[in-house]
């Protein structure tokens, strides 16, 4: 009984957004394994969504990480670990902003999906969060299988190289996650730098964010379209907001 209470406490200690996403992903793979649903009902297809009205695919494409297997456990581990790390550090007490970050990244992946011919986008979305966490924790030192130690910003590239060695092919999903993660990280960095008045040079996505963050509000009565809308924040207003704390100095 004590073990069940400990497991329950561990489960509810996971931040709400990471907990809901991880639980939904596990349940989706269990339903597929039990043949209650099939992967063909889950993948993102523009024709199925916009012509046949199968709008659930906009969400289910981010929930299926493959059948229950060692590879599935590997993806779920990294997704839940770095999503939780990001939600508990950079977005601690800001559940609405973290959920909005995931929505922004998900929409970006949906736009890029037809170009990359990728029907399932859960892995790229989780990899984008790994990239954002790694870039926002440059002082953290990590060990890869006990073979070598490296700084956190190199984590996405280490994982990319490891996947390349295992599969002998370039992982498009990881690359797509890096592209979206880099764009989102640039926007987050610009928001932080612009609030301090420091100089910042970025790419076109940062220029776009600069327009909507600094120029657009002046001509539209303070409206900031890239910020979470008020109704979105009210949806998360009941979520607990613990006091912020500094990110961990070391992660294994």
């Amino acid at each position: 009984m004590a073990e069940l209470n400990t497991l329950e406490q561990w489960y509810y200690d996971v931040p709400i957004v990471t907990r809901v996403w991880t639980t939904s992903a596990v349940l989706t793979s269990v339903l597929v394994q039990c043949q209650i649903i099939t992967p063909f009902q889950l993948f993102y297809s523009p024709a199925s969504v916009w012509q046949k009205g199968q709008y659930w695919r906009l969400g289910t494409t981010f929930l299926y990480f493959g059948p229950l297997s060692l590879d599935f456990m590997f993806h779920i581990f990294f997704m839940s670990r770095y999503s939780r790390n990001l939600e508990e550090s950079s977005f601690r007490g800001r559940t609405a902003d973290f959920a909005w970050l995931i929505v922004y990244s998900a929409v970006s992946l949906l736009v890029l999906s037809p170009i990359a011919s990728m029907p399932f986008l859960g892995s790229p979305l989780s990899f984008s969060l790994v990239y954002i966490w790694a870039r926002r924790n440059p002082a953290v030192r990590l060990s890869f299988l006990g073979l070598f130690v490296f700084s956190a910003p190199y984590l996405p590239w280490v994982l990319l190289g490891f996947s390349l060695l295992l599969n002998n092919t370039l992982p498009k999903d990881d690359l797509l996650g890096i592209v979206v993660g880099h764009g989102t990280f640039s926007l987050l960095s610009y928001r932080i730098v612009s609030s301090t008045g420091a100089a910042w040079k970025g790419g076109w996505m940062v220029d776009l964010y600069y327009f909507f963050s600094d120029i657009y509000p002046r001509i539209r009565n303070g409206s900031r379209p890239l910020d979470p809308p008020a109704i979105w924040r009210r949806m998360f207003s009941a979520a607990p907001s613990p006091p912020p704390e500094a990110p961990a100095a070391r992660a294994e």
Side-chain angles (χ1 to χ4, degrees), residues 26-27 42 57 68 74 103 112 120 132-133 140 144 147 151 175 229-230 239:
V26 172
L27 288 177
L42 305 174
R57 295 178 183 271
L68 298 179
F74 177 81
V103 169
L112 295 174
F120 292 106
I132 295 170
W133 177 87
V140 174
F144 183 73
L147 299 178
S151 299
L175 281 175

Side-chain angles (χ1 to χ4, degrees), residues 65-85:
F65 288 80
L68 298 179
S69 62
L70 185 60
D71 184 66
F72 168 80
M73 297 301 298
F74 177 81
H75 280 93
I76 288 295
F77 170 77
F78 272 92
M79 180 267 282
S80 60
R81 179 184 180 119
Y82 291 101
S83 175
R84 177 177 183 172
N85 286 347

Side-chain angles (χ1 to χ4, degrees), residues 1-244:
M1 192 66 179
E3 290 79 4
L4 290 177
N5 291 335
T6 302
L7 181 62
E8 181 181 7
Q9 181 180 358
W10 170 85
Y11 178 77
Y12 284 104
D13 280 344
V14 177
I16 180 64
V17 177
T18 301
R19 184 167 73 240
V20 169
W21 187 16
T22 304
T23 303
S24 301
V26 172
L27 288 177
T28 299
S29 288
V30 169
L31 291 175
V32 170
Q33 195 74 20
C34 296
Q35 299 183 352
I36 298 175
I37 57 177
T38 70
F40 297 103
Q41 298 172 288
L42 305 174
F43 70 87
Y44 173 63
S45 165
S48 298
V49 172
W50 307 117
Q51 296 177 17
K52 299 181 181 179
Q54 299 176 359
Y55 299 113
W56 67 82
R57 295 178 183 271
L58 294 172
T60 56
T61 184
F62 298 103
L63 300 180
Y64 186 60
F65 288 80
L68 298 179
S69 62
L70 185 60
D71 184 66
F72 168 80
M73 297 301 298
F74 177 81
H75 280 93
I76 288 295
F77 170 77
F78 272 92
M79 180 267 282
S80 60
R81 179 184 180 119
Y82 291 101
S83 175
R84 177 177 183 172
N85 286 347
L86 198 59
E87 189 173 358
E88 288 183 334
S89 57
S90 300
F91 292 89
R92 187 172 183 84
R94 298 164 52 211
T95 303
D97 291 279
F98 182 67
W100 191 252
L101 165 70
I102 291 182
V103 169
Y104 172 84
S105 301
V107 170
S108 301
L109 286 168
L110 288 171
V111 171
L112 295 174
S113 173
I115 302 175
S117 300
M118 295 190 61
F120 292 106
L121 300 173
S123 182
L125 181 59
S126 65
F127 209 83
S128 69
L129 297 184
V130 171
Y131 182 91
I132 295 170
W133 177 87
R135 291 295 301 271
R136 300 200 76 175
N137 294 271
V140 174
R141 303 286 290 174
L142 302 170
S143 174
F144 183 73
L145 301 178
L147 299 178
F148 60 91
V149 177
F150 57 94
S151 299
Y154 293 102
L155 175 62
W157 305 105
V158 171
L159 295 177
L160 186 71
F162 182 65
S163 180
L164 178 62
L165 288 175
L166 284 182
N167 303 312
N168 201 28
T169 182
L170 193 63
K172 293 192 300 181
D173 51 350
D174 293 350
L175 281 175
L176 191 60
I178 287 177
V179 170
V180 171
H182 179 71
T184 306
F185 171 76
S186 298
L187 300 186
L188 290 172
S189 298
Y190 179 80
R191 170 180 285 181
I192 295 172
V193 173
S194 63
S195 66
T196 62
W200 171 261
K201 295 181 180 180
W204 66 270
M205 296 190 73
V206 178
D207 295 333
L208 181 66
Y209 187 84
Y210 169 74
F211 173 78
F212 281 113
S213 180
D214 287 16
I215 299 177
Y216 188 84
R218 301 174 191 170
I219 60 179
R220 297 297 294 178
N221 299 321
S223 174
R224 294 176 179 267
L226 293 184
D227 283 357
I231 187 173
W232 181 267
R233 293 191 181 278
R234 285 197 295 270
M235 290 170 55
F236 296 89
S237 60
S241 300

